[in-house]
Structures are given as structure tokens and as C-alpha cells.
């Protein structure tokens, strides 16, 4: 690819960037990353530049490099940049995504890396790789699944459709249990979606026991949630309890959140109040 080449580099051949502004790394986040690398492997390559003599300097991905050292990995996948032009490197990676045979998790990690490290936007990703914006957002959300579930997705035991359905469950333990059942019983994506819907419906009933709610309010609420989901191009949940209700709008990134806020019209209202 113009501007970049991929390689599996020895961890010991890489040195940190002396100009790295971050010197303190969150230990809990680092532990989570170590667990993910051990169970799922590397989803995102680091970015380095060749400094000669078989040595490389980190440009992006120091947490991944540190985690790789901590778990005893000898090599790490890396993008060796041949240009200082970030835009050229980003374009090269965008062109490579739809040509590479990536599993759903690798695809999600590639999108996330392009958004966070290379300044790409959801619209640009959608246009360049021929996907819809909701598809990209939903794919990125797969990175929120617990590590054991991610491992099954990466291995091809669970499809991307199964994984997206599991995201409907908020509890990671429930996601893992249903993932095991999908594999054991050979459940289809449709059957998984129905089980998730039942689990969501049963949850509030057990806590507040409002049997009247499930019979009277659920159809109208589900219809409203579907319409809002279509409106915002993301999953929306509408719940009513005994004394109050809530609307939950899911988003994948800060960019996606800003898009939704703009559609709601919060920014426009703020502008009007400033003028007055």
C-alpha cells in the first residue's frame, strides 16, 4: 500500500516515542487489554516508523505494545509508515479494509482505529468501503462484548449477526451464557434475537412485577422504540417503570453522539438562546 506496509515485528525491536505526551497509563484499562490480547489476540496493529538498524519507533499504540510485553508476546502486528503524511496513511488503510479478509472483530477494530487515530469520520468510512453508517456503528459496538464472546466471534463460531443480537443484553454474564447456548444448540440469528427480546421483556417484569405493563404498554413502546431507532440510525430502548420512564439511545463514538445530538436539535436550541 502507498504510505504504509504491514509486518509482524519483534516486541524488543520497538522503542517508545520520546515525544509521547501520555506518561501515565490507566492500570485497569491495561489489565483489560492484556486479557483481551491473551484471549482474542491483537485486533489493532500498532503504528511505527523505521529508524534504521532494525529498530522502530512507536507512532501510535503504546498501550498495546506495553500490554504485549506484559503478557510475554514476542511479536506484534504493526503498520510501518513510509510517509509523514497522516492523510495518505489513512487513505491507504481505508483502501485496504475492503480488500482484506477480516473477521467481524478485526473489521470493528480497524474502523475504531481509523476513527480515533487517523481522524476518519463515519461518513468517510461508509462512502469508501460501501457500507451504511449504521452498519459501521453497529460493527464497532462488537468491541463492547466480553472477551470470551469476542473469542468465539473471532474464531467464526459466532457470526456477526449473533454478536449484534447479543449486544441487546446489557449484562456481560448474560451475553456469555447466551453465547454458549447459541453454540450448543446451533441457534439461528433470528432465534437469538427472539431470546434477547424475551430476556429484555422479562427483566423489568421480575424487578417491578408490573404484569399490566407488559400487556398494555409494551406494543406501543416497542413501536415507538422502532421508530426512534429508524430516526437516529441506532438502537433505542423505551422503558416505563412504576413511577417513571426512560429512553436509552445507544451510540458508538463521540462523533456518533454529536450526530444524534444534532438530530435532536439541542445545538440549535442553544444557538437560539444565545441570540436572545
Amino acid at each position: 500500500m502507498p504510505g504504509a506496509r504491514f509486518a509482524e515485528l519483534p516486541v524488543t525491536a520497538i522503542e517508545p516515542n520520546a515525544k509521547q505526551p501520555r506518561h501515565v497509563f490507566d492500570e485497569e484499562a491495561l489489565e483489560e487489554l492484556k486479557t483481551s490480547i491473551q484471549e482474542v489476540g491483537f485486533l489493532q496493529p500498532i503504528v511505527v516508523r523505521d529508524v534504521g538498524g532494525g529498530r522502530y519507533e512507536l507512532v501510535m499504540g503504546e498501550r498495546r505494545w506495553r500490554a504485549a510485553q506484559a503478557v510475554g508476546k514476542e511479536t506484534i502486528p504493526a503498520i510501518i509508515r513510509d510517509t509523514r503524511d497522516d492523510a495518505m496513511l489513512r487513505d491507504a488503510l481505508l483502501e485496504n479494509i475492503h480488500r482484506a479478509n477480516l473477521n467481524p472483530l478485526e473489521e470493528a477494530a480497524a474502523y475504531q482505529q481509523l476513527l480515533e487515530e487517523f481522524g476518519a469520520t463515519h461518513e468517510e468510512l461508509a462512502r469508501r468501503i460501501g457500507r451504511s453508517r449504521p452498519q459501521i456503528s453497529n460493527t464497532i459496538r462488537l468491541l463492547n462484548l466480553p472477551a470470551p464472546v469476542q473469542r468465539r466471534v473471532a474464531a467464526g463460531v459466532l457470526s456477526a449477526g449473533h454478536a449484534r443480537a447479543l449486544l441487546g443484553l446489557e449484562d456481560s454474564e448474560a451475553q456469555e451464557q447466551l453465547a454458549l447456548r447459541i453454540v450448543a444448540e446451533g441457534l439461528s440469528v433470528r432465534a437469538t434475537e427472539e431470546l434477547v427480546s424475551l430476556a429484555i421483556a422479562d427483566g423489568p417484569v421480575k424487578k417491578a412485577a408490573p404484569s399490566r405493563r407488559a400487556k398494555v404498554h409494551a406494543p406501543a413502546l416497542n413501536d415507538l422504540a422502532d421508530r426512534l431507532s429508524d430516526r437516529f440510525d441506532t438502537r433505542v430502548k423505551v422503558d416505563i417503570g412504576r413511577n417513571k420512564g426512560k429512553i436509552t439511545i445507544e451510540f458508538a463514538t463521540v462523533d456518533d453522539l454529536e450526530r444524534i445530538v444534532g438530530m435532536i436539535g439541542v445545538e440549535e436550541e442553544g444557538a437560539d438562546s444565545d441570540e436572545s
Side-chain angles (χ1 to χ4, degrees):
M1 295 189 309
R5 52 195 169 96
F6 289 93
E8 194 82 17
L9 298 178
V11 171
T12 53
I14 299 165
E15 56 192 42
N17 189 334
K19 297 180 180 179
Q20 159 70 273
R22 179 189 292 174
H23 297 288
V24 179
F25 294 85
D26 183 273
E27 288 299 325
E28 184 176 347
L30 200 59
E31 285 299 321
E32 291 178 359
L33 186 55
K34 285 160 58 177
T35 301
S36 176
I37 289 173
Q38 287 175 312
E39 297 202 19
V40 186
F42 293 101
L43 294 176
Q44 293 173 282
I46 60 173
V47 181
V48 300
R49 69 183 187 91
D50 193 337
V51 293
R55 305 294 298 174
Y56 301 88
E57 183 182 61
L58 269 170
V59 177
M60 301 172 186
E62 185 164 344
R63 279 201 319 120
R64 272 161 278 159
W65 175 66
R66 286 174 177 267
Q69 289 178 300
V71 299
K73 292 290 184 181
E74 295 184 358
T75 61
I76 187 170
I79 301 166
I80 305 172
R81 64 186 302 168
D82 297 324
T83 174
R84 297 183 64 85
D85 187 341
D86 284 345
M88 185 181 293
L89 184 60
R90 179 197 60 197
D91 291 346
L93 294 174
L94 275 165
E95 290 299 325
N96 187 66
I97 282 180
H98 69 274
R99 293 201 303 263
N101 185 24
L102 305 177
N103 68 50
L105 278 178
E106 291 171 332
E107 188 177 347
Y111 294 163
Q112 188 74 4
Q113 185 171 29
L114 282 161
L115 291 171
E116 292 181 352
E117 298 181 356
F118 296 98
T121 64
H122 283 253
E123 290 85 356
E124 186 176 13
L125 288 175
R127 184 178 70 255
R128 294 287 290 274
I129 63 178
R131 298 284 181 88
S132 70
R133 182 170 179 153
Q135 278 181 302
I136 289 172
S137 297
N138 288 331
T139 300
I140 290 173
R141 289 175 60 237
L142 297 182
L143 298 174
N144 295 330
L145 290 167
V149 180
Q150 288 190 27
R151 186 171 64 247
R152 290 180 174 85
V153 176
V157 178
L158 292 177
S159 71
H162 286 114
R164 282 191 289 269
L166 289 172
L167 286 167
L169 298 172
E170 296 182 358
D171 181 62
S172 59
E173 185 176 346
Q175 290 173 337
E176 291 183 38
Q177 289 176 350
L178 184 51
L180 289 172
R181 184 174 173 185
I182 292 170
V183 176
E185 300 180 19
L187 298 176
S188 67
V189 173
R190 179 59 181 165
T192 304
E193 290 172 342
E194 291 176 353
L195 287 173
V196 169
S197 297
L198 287 172
I200 293 172
D202 288 345
V205 172
K206 291 178 181 178
K207 292 177 182 178
S211 58
R212 181 174 57 85
R213 170 189 165 191
K215 294 180 180 178
V216 178
H217 294 287
L221 293 181
N222 290 338
D223 179 64
L224 176 59
D226 288 341
R227 285 187 282 124
L228 288 172
S229 297
D230 292 339
R231 174 74 176 87
F232 296 124
D233 280 337
T234 189
R235 185 188 294 270
V236 177
K237 293 188 290 186
V238 181
D239 295 306
I240 291 183
R242 182 170 295 175
N243 299 315
K244 61 182 180 180
K246 68 177 180 179
I247 296 177
T248 304
I249 303 174
E250 297 183 1
F251 61 92
T253 64
V254 173
D255 182 59
D256 199 31
L257 173 61
E258 290 176 350
R259 173 185 68 84
I260 295 169
V261 169
M263 295 176 70
I264 294 173
V266 173
E267 294 176 347
E268 295 178 7
E269 291 178 4
D272 291 342
S273 62
D274 290 341
E275 292 176 2
S276 59

